[in-house]
Amino acid sequence: MPQRALALFGFLLFSVFIGMFVASCDVTGTVNMPDGGADVGLDASGDVADLTTEDVALDLVDETSLDAAELDASELDATSEDLVLDGVSDVADGVEETFDIPQPEGPAPYEFGLVQSPITPWVVERFRAIAAAGTSQNDEVFMKVGDSISASAAFLNCFASPVPNWGAYAGLASTVDAFNAVSLPGGSTSFNRTSAAVEVGRTASWALSGSPAPINVELAAIEPRFAVVMYGSNDIGWFGSDHAATLRWYGDNMLALVDRLLQQGVIPILSTIPPRDDSAADDYWVPTFNGFVRALAQARQVPLTDFHQTLLPLPSHGLGSDHLHPNVGPGGGCDLSASGLQYGQNTRNQITLEALDRVRRAFAGEPPPDAEVLSVEGQGVPSEPMRIASLPFVHSGDTSQSSSRALSLYSGCSATQNESGPEVVYELQIDTPSALRFAVVDGPGVDIDLHLLSGSVSESACIARAHTAFSRTLAPGTYYLVADTFVGSGGGEESGEYFLVVMPCAAGDPECQ
């Protein structure tokens, strides 16, 4: 019994010490850790204290070697519930306060130069929101959507069989195994299935046409969670030399296609298109079309792979003898060795598999692979325009959300169009003479026109404008780019979402002045 009394005395002394410590704090709380992590105690200054809930909570068996059931509640001045510091039960002066881990900063900008778009905490939350729209989708199934480049037997099909050479990418094997574990109709897997949404010579418009549309047929057949999407190589010359009209048409179709996938709870993985080395006129516009795809992926916060970027350093741009379709290494498309990745289709297989791996792991709950990144500076109004910090540049916005209506008739461009609807203003600083192409794509029922101003945000400062695209060689100085809302003859404002591209012109491009 003396030993028992001594233990009880020690426990009561410890309780008094804790009570004094808690009473000395003005505010108590915890940082709520994700995934069931231990709460971290905060002292009155807001600093992390040395005591955590695990330090303070009293386990009577571990700390006193006594059976808690043997202690009468009347003998105790405090219980473990009184002493645990959390953000709900308060023990100091009746003050209630919680401390939360900072939330994701906001949508991730998809900077140029990265082969894979960032997957940040914000992007992961976006994935989960998309998935909530399609509870029947299989998280280990993807569909292919595209033209002849995606119809090629060398595109991903070989991952349904043992990979001949992983090279430096053996870490992707688990993702291959995961998608191969699901047998699809006909005994295929996601890798070697013949997709109803893939066909030679097709465009994004085709995928949405018919009843049922090819994309709907494939969605119903395999209920995928992901879709690997690439169109554009055929689209880009659809209206001949009128690339601006083609860009509007392509943009409308790609926007509709991506949004249809999202409505079904499918996460699209978009891709830039290869060079069009078979046609210089079309190839000059490839970066602009790819810029739109980047802006669309960024707007929807879905994955993007920059296939075009990976091809440029390869021999013959990684293209075959037709200068249009990616070539394949002698060891097959799944040879991911250094020598195999000198070929276009092998490179596409590697970056596509990497994208699938990144999104599958993040969606499954693994830590996001990328940190939060800063968004565009500025508010998009004349007094505080959004800053175009570097070129190339893409952005998506919505004029219906703008409070600015400062500009209407752009007299400097002798324009007669009524642009009195809301606008979004960007600032561009040019340090050396630069030939640039400016383009804007908007959705159905929306009419956003683009205006370039020199030196000030005023209608008289307009030096170029267009409904879709224009080019200009700019001398050093400060310029402003305005995405403005057209107002029809009936007074209706056609405001809404738009996608902006500012792209340096390729050398020799005859359409760039």
Side-chain angles (χ1 to χ4, degrees), residues 11 57-71:
F11 170 76
L58 303 180
D59 185 325
L60 299 183
V61 175
D62 293 339
E63 300 296 335
T64 68
S65 299
L66 295 177
D67 184 350
E70 296 179 11
L71 295 178

Side-chain angles (χ1 to χ4, degrees), residues 4 8 11-12 70-78:
R4 172 186 173 91
L8 179 58
F11 170 76
L12 293 176
E70 296 179 11
L71 295 178
D72 187 85
S74 63
E75 298 181 75
L76 304 177
D77 294 328

Side-chain angles (χ1 to χ4, degrees), residues 205-216:
S205 174
W206 166 80
L208 299 165
S209 302
S211 182
I215 192 173
N216 290 344

